[in-house]
Amino acid sequence: MPAVSKGDGMRGLAVFISDIRNCKSKEAEIKRINKELANIRSKFKGDKALDGYSKKKYVCKLLFIFLLGHDIDFGHMEAVNLLSSNKYTEKQIGYLFISVLVNSNSELIRLINNAIKNDLASRNPTFMCLALHCIANVGSREMAEAFASEIPRILVAGDTMDSVKQSAALCLLRLYKTSPDLVPMGEWTSRVVHLLNDQHMGVVTAAVSLIACLCKKNPDDFKTCVSLAVSRLSRIVSSASTDLQDYTYYFVPAPWLSVKLLRLLQCYPPPEDAAVKGRLVECLETILNKAQEPPKSKKVQHSNAKNAILFEAISLIIHYDSEPNLLVRACNQLGQFLQHRETNLRYLALESMCTLASSEFSHEAVKTHIETVINALKTERDVSVRQRAADLLYAMCDRTNAKQIVSEMLSYLETADYSIREEIVLKVAILAEKYAVDYSWYVDTILNLIRIAGDYVSEEVWYRVIQIVINRDDVQGYAAKTVFEALQAPACHENMVKVGGYILGEFGNLIAGDPRSSPLVQFNLLHSKFHLCSVSTRALLLSTYIKFINLFPETKGTIQEVLRSDSQIRNADVELQQRAVEYLKLSSIASTDVLATVLEEMPPFPERESSILAKLKKKKGPGAGSELDDGKKDPNSEINGGMEPSASTASTPSPSADLLGLRAAPVATSSAPATAGNLLVDVFSDSPSATTGLVPGAEENFLSSGAAASVSEDPALPIAEADELLNKFVCKNNGVLFENQLLQIGVKSEFRQNLGRMYLFYGNKTSVQFQSFTPTVSYPGDLQSQLNIQTKTVEPLVEGGAQVQQVLNIECLSDFTEAPLINIKFRYGGTLQNLTLKLPITVNKFFQATEMQSQDFFQRWKQLSLPQQEAQKIFKANHAMDSEVTKAKLLGFGSALLEKVDPNPDNYVGAGIIQTKALQVGCLLRLEPNAQAQMYRLTLRTSKESVSKHLCELLSQQF
Amino acid sequence: MIKFFLMVNKQGQTRLSRYYEHMDLRKRTILEAEVIKHCLSRSKEQCSFIEYKDFKLVYRQYAALFIVVGINETENEMAVYELIHNFVEVLDKYFSRVSELDIMFKLDRVHIILDEMVLNGCIVETNKTRILAPLLVLDKMAES
């Protein structure tokens, strides 16, 4: 083999690469690259014609620079010139550059096509291959138009060299993928199929890829490929490993080709012809047998290659799903792999077994491995393997092993990775429901779920347990007793309070006979949790209380007392206040009969598909991110409606919108909750005002500020990019605010408490004087009363190339949402220039960071639980999700970044106080990234509604 | 189908990248950074397949160099895993004990080798002698 020093060493290139390697810093590297780019540019532009060698050298350098991550915007022409060189090395570099750097819509395609045409006609196989590779890599429509008719001819011609055939096959595949209409089926198709018989294995390898693609669209035209593939496979599988010489890899004959043939067969149902089928079954059996034979080599490559074929054979067996014997053998083989010391094999075996579990023939065989799989769930060190194990347990679950699997999953949940907890919760909930013979087991399981992983139990899950308890009267007493016991725990999850409140409100009477759970004890137990709960839970509990008045008249006095207390009847939350007032009135005016009718036991729910199942299906979608977007438009998202007695009484929160745990979509406030139907709907409606009325979009802001500006006799609207420019400064105080050909405006600012000072630097970029230079600050909307800005006047003349400075003193009187405007007028040449921008002063500039402990944080978080105090947004990441950058942005935003507060280390929490002259607004924030979905959820809680919303809006634009 | 083929070192520097579906430069840089982050964070006991966005990553580590291949569900993970090794063996044969330096300084050769093995996202040749044939022609021409 040639040593590196040999060949056509391009010294210049080697020197350049060494230079780059020796660069100590990124800056030095960039400097060196820019120098080189300038050099190459001048060489290409120079009058001296470059010889092929230099062109090749420079094009090679450009390729290298591109690989380092720099954009290359020249040199394409020189690369195209290299194509017509008759030196192979030069031509090759030209083609390489083009296939790496030219995309399919380049204007150069015509020139490239010309060169390709010449090379295809050259009858020189190496040149032909280069040209075909190029088409296969670029594959534009123009190329398809030029060559689609010619390639099939080259592919099937008798005198074409093998290597050219290989390239032609892949080239045709590309053209067929990009422009199927330009590749007409024809006489060549049957000859393509016969390439499977070609004596050259490389040609077969290439042909299989082509046929696998073509046959998907035209299965009938290519049907003959099945028998040909079977016979080819059979010849490979049964041959002694020496027969195939160079295609043998560590004693395994043609492993990649075997895999591809087995994959091709999966495009078709089992062969009908008995002889073909017999031969195929024989092949599959041989492959399974070989797995049991002692290895021909100790090298891991040998067993890997063998296993690649084995896994593909098993896929085919599962695809056919018709040979019980093979299915069981496949299952046993995978069972062995489950205990293999190679993690890769265990992973693949779990994955493969998961599909095997759904076949009726092998389901029982899969089940015998339950202990191993459970063990994998407990002991595997790799979360992706554990995930596969959980999937498999779910797939192999049936009535006989449900209790075992569910209990194992529950115990796994206590230590499970955060990333898969929610999915496990859903799986447990589904299995418990699906295989429940005895519904007390089901109730126990769900309550355990809430106890162990309450935060991951979504609304669907606890809705569902209530539906089931209401529909099955044999379990109601048990459920009441169990929730009552569960609620005795000093700290129980809010979801437990919800389930407990609902169930006791409906069925508390079933356990009221026992003095230990007398009505008053039940009430006191529930009410002891009341103050720690969120608004929606408290609303639910109020409904429970009125139901208690109906169920247990003896509690009426106590409960009316509670409803009458200031903390209920004068509650700042309208929903709670309304409920308290109405329930109090209802209990004192309505007769016992009326009360009994209004608060009658819930009617059974109509049976529908479990909303949890729907949710799991959604979670399992291909890309969680896109799934979320689709979900919102999904017309089927009404399944969750199971909770409402009649689906039409309220708009239904869509379960899919919950993918990230988002609370339900805004629900219309029911205006008259005094009727029974609505009452109960209300119990489940999310606090309505929390999510309604999002902050008006930037667009609206822009319009309104414009309108206000025109009132204050300022004719100019802020420029279109004003909001975008403003956004850049939300998390930083210094930088360039604006720049065009004439003017650059820099900003430097500092803020302390409710005061701030801003320096604006106006730079004249031209060589001509600006005249009558006047910047004016104006206040759109109510801003005048919220913000006070004092400016010093600037000299009206700004010389060419000079910079003038303006100082602004800022005082924040109260919180605000609009940004102040600055209008700049000046004369440049003869024309009046007029420009309006938003000044980068946003309410978060007056943040004072506050450090606090976890305990304090959560206490305050709970205190700010009124719906209007919270603002939340879920949004897609616009930038890479880098934790350092995120931290820097949050600090720049002004709040303190609190470490070790959130139980999930990926989340960020912050706290601070907005300082204004009139008042101080305490703010808490929480940012939860979801790296998989590339999304964030941002929650702001402050003591003032407008501040929550505005901060949420500002901050959500930053990631 | 193979979506991309990357060689990245432990410092996160890309030494070779070949995309079989168009992707713009900015996205490539982000993808390469994320991919190497994923690979580096894994220990030897963990499996060599990572689910990442819409595709699966199959990776192998050779000294300080990672070879990472992005595939969709139509490829066989184990076959791709061995394809990587086969590729490295071909490099080894051509460069006689390949190192990261060879890959940097002789990038065009590495590209030729890869193009002979994988074309348009499909495995096209696995026979070492045939993969190296065009290169030998090339070297012979350069010498004469």
Side-chain angles (χ1 to χ4, degrees):
Chain A
M1 280 302 119
V4 184
S5 55
K6 278 202 218 153
D8 56 334
M10 288 176 277
R11 234 188 75 77
L13 177 65
V15 169
F16 172 59
I17 295 175
S18 308
D19 282 1
I20 295 288
R21 269 175 51 81
N22 292 335
C23 284
K24 292 276 184 293
S25 65
K26 193 81 197 159
E27 287 72 32
E29 186 184 305
I30 291 171
K31 214 171 144 195
R32 179 68 185 87
I33 285 170
N34 285 337
K35 188 179 150 203
E36 193 61 42
L37 284 174
N39 171 38
I40 299 172
R41 221 184 279 266
S42 74
K43 285 283 191 311
F44 283 166
K45 275 195 185 148
D47 346 306
K48 224 173 63 191
L50 292 174
D51 59 0
Y53 169 79
S54 326
K55 262 189 222 160
K56 181 182 81 168
K57 185 176 74 184
Y58 294 129
V59 167
C60 242
K61 283 184 182 174
L62 289 179
L63 253 179
F64 187 78
I65 294 171
F66 177 76
L67 197 71
L68 292 171
H70 299 264
D71 217 352
I72 299 295
D73 53 4
F74 69 103
H76 300 69
M77 206 53 218
E78 283 70 18
V80 173
N81 286 341
L82 284 176
L83 299 184
S84 45
S85 159
N86 44 20
K87 281 211 179 106
Y88 181 71
T89 54
E90 288 167 17
K91 201 187 265 295
Q92 191 265 335
I93 292 291
Y95 273 123
L96 182 59
F97 183 92
I98 283 159
S99 49
V100 172
L101 266 124
V102 173
N103 59 34
S104 48
N105 45 21
S106 163
E107 298 149 13
L108 293 169
I109 294 283
R110 205 158 303 152
L111 291 170
I112 298 168
N113 275 356
N114 241 343
I116 291 176
K117 200 165 280 169
N118 291 336
D119 283 332
L120 286 182
S122 72
R123 310 199 56 79
N124 173 336
T126 29
F127 287 7
M128 285 174 89
C129 279
L130 283 178
L132 289 167
H133 280 199
C134 182
I135 304 176
N137 283 319
V138 179
S140 73
R141 188 148 181 98
E142 263 183 290
M143 281 187 174
E145 278 163 2
F147 303 110
S149 54
E150 196 174 352
I151 310 290
R153 203 183 45 71
I154 297 177
L155 178 59
V156 297
D159 58 347
T160 308
M161 298 268 294
D162 294 333
S163 58
V164 178
K165 273 190 193 166
Q166 278 173 283
S167 309
L170 270 305
C171 178
L172 192 57
L173 171 61
R174 175 62 181 246
L175 296 185
Y176 183 73
K177 275 187 185 159
T178 41
S179 325
D181 54 311
L182 294 177
V183 184
M185 297 297 120
E187 178 259 343
W188 59 274
T189 44
S190 65
R191 301 185 55 187
V192 166
V193 175
H194 281 276
L195 288 176
L196 290 175
N197 263 337
D198 199 287
Q199 52 175 324
H200 191 276
M201 302 283 256
V203 175
V204 187
T205 309
V208 180
S209 293
L210 175 62
I211 296 167
C213 175
L214 292 172
C215 79
K216 285 206 179 101
K217 288 251 176 68
N218 329 279
D220 288 337
D221 292 355
F222 291 89
K223 228 155 100 191
T224 43
C225 76
V226 174
S227 62
L228 289 171
V230 169
S231 68
R232 188 85 217 197
L233 182 68
S234 149
R235 268 180 282 159
I236 297 172
V237 170
S238 58
S239 72
S241 53
T242 46
D243 289 0
L244 297 155
Q245 303 126 10
D246 282 346
Y247 284 90
T248 298
Y249 179 80
Y250 288 90
F251 304 102
V252 181
W256 292 281
L257 179 55
S258 307
V259 166
K260 281 177 127 185
L261 288 167
L262 287 162
R263 188 58 68 144
L264 173 64
L265 289 171
Q266 289 171 55
C267 299
Y268 286 92
E272 286 154 17
D273 183 329
V276 176
K277 188 167 181 189
R279 206 163 176 200
L280 177 57
V281 168
E282 208 174 286
C283 278
L284 294 171
E285 277 171 347
T286 314
I287 294 171
L288 286 166
N289 290 341
K290 279 189 178 171
Q292 298 300 326
E293 288 167 11
K296 293 202 178 89
S297 155
K298 285 212 174 95
K299 288 268 171 58
V300 66
Q301 285 81 6
H302 170 73
S303 54
N304 281 346
K306 222 162 87 173
N307 291 332
I309 302 173
L310 180 61
F311 277 114
E312 206 57 59
I314 291 175
S315 295
L316 183 63
I317 293 170
I318 297 171
H319 168 77
Y320 286 163
D321 198 14
S322 60
E323 298 287 328
N325 174 36
L326 287 176
L327 281 162
V328 170
R329 284 194 65 185
C331 180
N332 294 339
Q333 183 58 54
L334 294 176
Q336 284 182 17
F337 285 155
L338 289 183
Q339 318 226 29
H340 203 280
R341 62 192 158 76
E342 289 262 334
T343 315
N344 287 344
L345 285 183
R346 296 198 302 274
Y347 173 90
L348 293 174
L350 286 166
E351 189 178 58
S352 190
M353 225 183 217
C354 217
T355 45
L356 209 51
S358 54
S359 160
E360 52 168 322
F361 300 112
S362 51
H363 184 79
E364 287 304 315
V366 171
K367 270 167 60 185
T368 58
H369 300 289
I370 184 164
E371 296 300 335
T372 321
V373 182
I374 286 171
N375 200 36
L377 189 64
K378 285 179 180 161
T379 57
E380 280 292 348
R381 295 203 189 168
D382 184 346
V383 56
S384 38
V385 184
R386 289 196 295 271
Q387 165 97 57
R388 291 284 147 267
D391 285 349
L392 178 54
L393 281 180
Y394 178 72
M396 66 161 71
C397 190
D398 64 14
R399 216 167 277 281
T400 63
N401 57 17
K403 282 198 176 169
Q404 185 188 9
I405 288 180
V406 165
S407 93
E408 291 296 346
M409 281 187 162
L410 271 176
S411 66
Y412 171 60
L413 199 51
E414 301 197 35
T415 53
D417 312 74
Y418 291 107
S419 55
I420 61 175
R421 277 196 188 180
E422 193 184 357
E423 202 183 310
I424 303 250
V425 166
L426 291 174
K427 285 185 165 150
V428 169
I430 291 167
L431 293 178
E433 180 187 336
K434 198 166 166 194
Y435 298 114
V437 192
D438 150 18
Y439 275 87
S440 53
W441 172 71
Y442 169 77
V443 171
D444 284 342
T445 305
I446 302 295
L447 294 184
N448 265 328
L449 263 190
I450 296 176
R451 198 175 302 136
I452 296 168
D455 281 341
Y456 298 87
V457 172
S458 55
E459 289 178 334
E460 287 87 350
V461 174
W462 73 262
Y463 284 2
R464 191 70 189 163
V465 68
I466 287 175
Q467 285 181 20
I468 285 174
V469 169
I470 285 176
N471 288 8
R472 305 198 60 97
D473 42 21
D474 54 335
V475 75
Q476 290 161 352
Y478 180 79
K481 182 168 156 284
T482 320
V483 291
F484 178 78
E485 278 161 12
L487 286 172
Q488 307 279 343
C492 54
H493 196 272
E494 196 165 330
N495 280 333
M496 187 71 87
V497 180
K498 288 181 184 166
V499 175
Y502 198 99
I503 288 185
L504 291 180
E506 290 288 324
F507 309 113
N509 55 333
L510 299 176
I511 56 168
D514 188 328
R516 284 167 299 176
S517 52
S518 71
L520 219 52
V521 175
Q522 287 185 38
F523 170 75
N524 285 334
L525 180 61
L526 284 176
H527 200 56
S528 69
K529 316 279 180 198
F530 187 90
H531 302 280
L532 298 171
C533 291
S534 67
V535 171
S536 61
T537 309
R538 280 193 263 165
L540 186 151
L541 286 177
L542 288 179
S543 300
T544 302
Y545 297 168
I546 184 76
K547 290 189 218 164
F548 269 22
I549 293 182
N550 174 44
L551 289 177
F552 317 117
E554 65 267 39
T555 60
K556 186 170 170 178
T558 320
I559 292 176
Q560 280 184 332
E561 201 55 45
V562 168
L563 293 176
R564 205 176 286 126
S565 73
D566 276 357
S567 61
Q568 308 301 346
I569 212 158
R570 289 182 201 276
N571 195 296
D573 183 77
V574 280
E575 179 66 30
L576 293 179
Q577 190 186 94
Q578 188 175 9
R579 284 188 191 218
V581 170
E582 287 174 3
Y583 291 162
L584 185 60
K585 267 280 177 269
L586 184 69
S587 68
S588 39
I589 294 173
S591 69
T592 347
D593 287 349
V594 173
L595 208 58
T597 319
V598 171
L599 298 168
E600 204 179 349
E601 196 176 296
M602 286 290 286
F605 291 93
E607 276 307 323
R608 305 185 195 185
E609 186 196 3
S610 159
S611 52
I612 318 175
L613 200 58
K615 182 165 173 174
L616 185 70
K617 281 183 196 155
K618 291 225 173 286
K619 261 192 94 71
K620 280 294 191 179
S626 59
E627 199 62 14
L628 183 77
D629 299 336
D630 298 346
K632 282 187 179 147
K633 292 170 223 135
D634 186 357
N636 295 330
S637 55
E638 292 271 345
I639 6 185
N640 183 29
M643 227 26 233
E644 279 84 19
S646 78
S648 59
T649 46
S651 66
T652 312
S654 107
S656 50
D658 245 3
L659 201 64
L660 293 168
L662 167 69
R663 305 303 300 267
V667 175
T669 323
S670 38
S671 46
T675 62
N678 271 346
L679 238 171
L680 296 163
V681 172
D682 256 6
V683 172
F684 293 99
S685 72
D686 211 320
S687 27
S689 44
T691 38
T692 44
L694 281 169
V695 184
E699 207 59 24
E700 286 168 66
N701 269 340
F702 163 75
L703 287 175
S704 60
S705 59
S710 61
V711 175
S712 61
E713 44 179 71
D714 189 338
L717 290 171
I719 58 167
E721 308 90 295
D723 281 313
E724 204 180 305
L725 296 170
L726 182 69
N727 270 334
K728 281 191 349 202
F729 281 86
V730 167
C731 292
K732 63 174 188 179
N733 287 334
N734 306 327
V736 174
L737 178 63
F738 174 81
E739 185 159 10
N740 65 9
Q741 279 102 0
L742 307 178
L743 178 70
Q744 185 196 51
I745 306 176
V747 178
K748 226 174 135 177
S749 54
E750 54 193 10
F751 296 87
R752 182 162 303 159
Q753 305 229 318
N754 70 324
L755 301 175
R757 174 169 293 169
M758 180 174 280
Y759 299 88
L760 292 174
F761 302 93
Y762 305 102
N764 181 346
K765 287 171 68 182
T766 68
S767 49
V768 184
Q769 196 181 51
F770 290 164
Q771 292 163 328
S772 329
F773 190 86
T774 30
T776 335
V777 173
S778 64
Y779 307 91
D782 297 332
L783 196 61
Q784 183 94 57
S785 61
Q786 296 160 338
L787 206 61
N788 185 5
I789 303 177
Q790 290 173 341
T791 52
K792 299 215 168 109
T793 45
V794 203
E795 281 296 308
L797 288 185
V798 184
E799 294 298 334
Q803 190 184 56
V804 294
Q805 176 188 334
Q806 185 180 29
V807 186
L808 280 66
N809 287 320
I810 306 150
E811 185 185 20
C812 178
L813 304 171
S814 71
D815 61 286
F816 58 96
T817 51
E818 296 284 350
L821 301 177
I822 183 151
N823 172 263
I824 298 144
K825 285 199 191 93
F826 59 92
R827 282 191 176 279
Y828 165 69
T831 52
L832 179 71
Q833 304 287 328
N834 190 347
L835 171 78
T836 303
L837 297 168
K838 294 195 171 184
L839 273 176
I841 304 173
T842 44
V843 72
N844 64 298
K845 300 290 177 200
F846 304 98
F847 240 128
Q848 195 177 17
T850 323
E851 291 292 342
M852 59 176 79
Q853 298 295 316
S854 173
Q855 203 184 352
D856 299 334
F857 180 86
F858 283 108
Q859 195 187 353
R860 286 176 209 207
W861 184 262
K862 283 229 173 77
Q863 282 165 357
L864 294 170
S865 62
L866 295 179
Q868 64 268 36
Q869 293 174 333
E870 182 179 291
Q872 191 174 74
K873 246 188 133 161
I874 293 183
F875 52 93
K876 267 212 162 332
N878 284 322
H879 305 280
M881 297 178 82
D882 179 309
S883 75
E884 287 311 311
V885 176
T886 307
K887 280 183 190 164
K889 281 182 180 165
L890 285 173
L891 287 173
F893 191 64
S895 67
L897 199 55
L898 304 178
E899 301 281 352
K900 299 196 186 113
V901 167
D902 198 295
N904 181 348
D906 291 340
N907 293 346
Y908 308 90
V909 293
I913 297 168
I914 300 270
Q915 303 276 358
T916 75
K917 193 179 180 192
L919 78 169
Q920 299 186 335
V921 185
C923 307
L924 302 175
L925 70 88
R926 185 172 189 215
L927 179 70
E928 298 157 273
N930 180 337
Q932 207 180 9
Q934 290 287 304
M935 303 199 65
Y936 288 99
R937 175 167 64 174
L938 173 67
T939 315
L940 254 301
R941 286 191 179 183
T942 80
S943 47
K944 202 163 172 197
E945 181 178 7
S946 54
V947 177
S948 300
K949 283 184 182 168
H950 187 56
L951 288 179
C952 187
E953 187 64 29
L954 283 175
L955 192 56
S956 65
Q957 315 256 346
Q958 301 300 316
F959 300 102
Chain B
M1 183 190 169
I2 295 175
K3 301 279 183 184
F4 56 79
F5 197 107
L6 296 178
M7 294 176 100
V8 190
N9 69 11
K10 270 190 170 171
Q11 287 77 46
Q13 292 161 309
T14 307
R15 290 306 179 213
L16 172 109
S17 71
R18 198 77 164 93
Y19 289 81
Y20 298 101
E21 263 174 11
H22 180 73
M23 191 182 288
D24 58 61
L25 192 64
R26 200 176 59 85
K27 283 202 184 133
R28 286 183 190 205
T29 326
I30 296 171
L31 178 118
E32 285 161 24
E34 279 187 21
V35 161
I36 189 70
K37 212 167 76 189
H38 275 290
C39 293
L40 281 175
S41 68
R42 292 172 73 85
S43 69
K44 286 240 158 58
E45 290 119 21
Q46 292 185 291
C47 69
S48 317
F49 317 118
I50 313 173
E51 275 152 67
Y52 173 77
K53 295 193 177 160
D54 297 347
F55 36 80
K56 245 186 205 167
L57 305 175
V58 178
Y59 73 94
R60 277 183 102 137
Q61 187 181 355
Y62 294 91
L65 206 57
F66 282 90
I67 299 185
V68 191
V69 183
I71 57 172
N72 66 6
E73 72 292 338
T74 62
E75 287 293 328
N76 177 310
E77 290 99 338
M78 206 44 122
V80 172
Y81 185 71
E82 276 317 303
L83 174 78
I84 297 176
H85 191 72
N86 197 26
F87 172 67
V88 172
E89 286 190 353
V90 175
L91 292 183
D92 226 31
K93 191 169 172 190
Y94 180 71
F95 291 110
S96 35
R97 292 186 64 85
V98 65
S99 73
E100 192 178 334
L101 289 184
D102 294 325
I103 293 158
M104 288 182 76
F105 285 98
K106 290 282 168 184
L107 190 62
D108 52 333
R109 304 295 152 115
V110 181
H111 267 286
I112 297 177
I113 291 174
L114 184 60
D115 277 359
E116 288 297 319
M117 295 181 72
V118 177
L119 186 53
N120 192 7
C122 299
I123 301 174
V124 59
E125 185 58 78
T126 57
N127 173 335
K128 294 193 183 74
T129 321
R130 288 185 43 91
I131 293 167
L132 289 176
L135 268 182
L136 299 185
V137 176
L138 201 70
D139 290 327
K140 209 169 274 166
M141 283 197 307
E143 270 171 53
S144 59

